[in-house]
Amino acid sequence: MVNARLSDQVFFIRENNDWVLKRTQDLFNDKEVVVFGLPGAFTPTCSAFQLPKFEELYDTFKDLGIDEVYCTSVNDSFVMNAWFEQQGITKVKPLPDGNGDFAKSINMLNDFTNRGFGMRSWRYCMYVKDSHIHTRYAEWGEPEACPIQDPFDVSSAEKMIESLKSIKAN
């Protein structure tokens, strides 16, 4: 999947009480973007660690030449917006993937019925440059290996910053 071009997907985004449809090309063409995916809004690890840390380190990403940082989940725009508001997130942008189309297109959709979640995104982080996946770190490797616990290590904001510093140094 690394070096693959993102396929054309549509995101149904709710902004100022209106629906705004954005396409992959609108968000990723001619840009350097960090995207992190997670199993669900309002869940413990996502709310306590993952989203807040990306928000806290947002300016560090910008200093490394990143144009935008997106958080995506297989949740609709209403849920994502409510979660961001509840968390006080103002810098990281929500990227709702209500149908899981984006997660599926990058092989990050998984069946979490063993947790009562249905189809959800892996926990991952990736660096996308001009709509191509440059680097991606997923927590659980292959979908079949998904444990019942909720690991959070390789997809952290700190790990992505380390990776970007290394990439930008070369």
Side-chain angles (χ1 to χ4, degrees):
M1 199 41 85
V2 173
N3 295 323
R5 182 170 180 77
L6 296 175
S7 65
D8 189 28
Q9 301 296 320
V10 176
F11 298 93
F12 297 85
I13 300 173
R14 192 83 173 151
E15 292 179 353
N16 303 315
N17 295 318
D18 290 319
W19 285 108
V20 178
L21 302 183
K22 295 191 179 178
R23 301 189 85 78
T24 307
Q25 61 205 24
D26 303 326
L27 302 170
F28 298 99
N29 281 3
D30 301 318
K31 296 176 186 160
E32 293 185 50
V33 178
V34 168
V35 179
F36 63 100
L38 41 86
F42 294 102
T43 56
T45 302
C46 306
S47 296
F49 304 108
Q50 197 170 15
L51 181 58
K53 188 53 85 169
F54 276 92
E55 177 79 0
E56 177 187 325
L57 296 174
Y58 181 87
D59 292 332
T60 303
F61 286 109
K62 295 295 275 186
D63 291 344
L64 288 167
I66 298 302
D67 296 302
E68 199 53 77
V69 178
Y70 291 113
C71 171
T72 188
S73 182
V74 181
N75 290 118
D76 63 59
S77 192
F78 293 104
V79 171
M80 293 292 285
N81 289 347
W83 184 43
F84 272 55
E85 183 179 333
Q86 185 262 345
Q87 291 278 308
I89 304 301
T90 60
K91 297 176 181 180
V92 172
K93 303 296 183 286
L95 193 57
D97 186 21
N99 295 324
D101 296 334
F102 181 71
K104 184 177 182 179
S105 76
I106 60 169
N107 199 29
M108 288 284 110
L109 188 67
N110 188 53
D111 186 350
F112 280 80
T113 55
N114 66 334
R115 297 183 200 180
F117 276 21
M119 299 303 288
R120 293 294 178 114
S121 173
W122 286 116
R123 187 180 308 284
Y124 69 92
C125 185
M126 65 183 180
Y127 166 50
V128 178
K129 186 173 182 179
D130 191 24
S131 294
H132 287 83
I133 300 171
H134 187 283
T135 306
R136 182 175 72 191
Y137 303 104
E139 290 298 331
W140 300 300
E142 296 303 314
E144 302 78 40
C146 181
I148 194 71
Q149 54 277 45
D150 190 13
F152 175 53
D153 178 41
V154 299
S155 63
S156 71
E158 298 91 341
K159 297 272 185 179
M160 182 51 75
I161 287 171
E162 288 175 26
S163 179
L164 288 169
K165 285 180 178 178
S166 177
I167 291 166
K168 301 284 183 164
N170 292 329

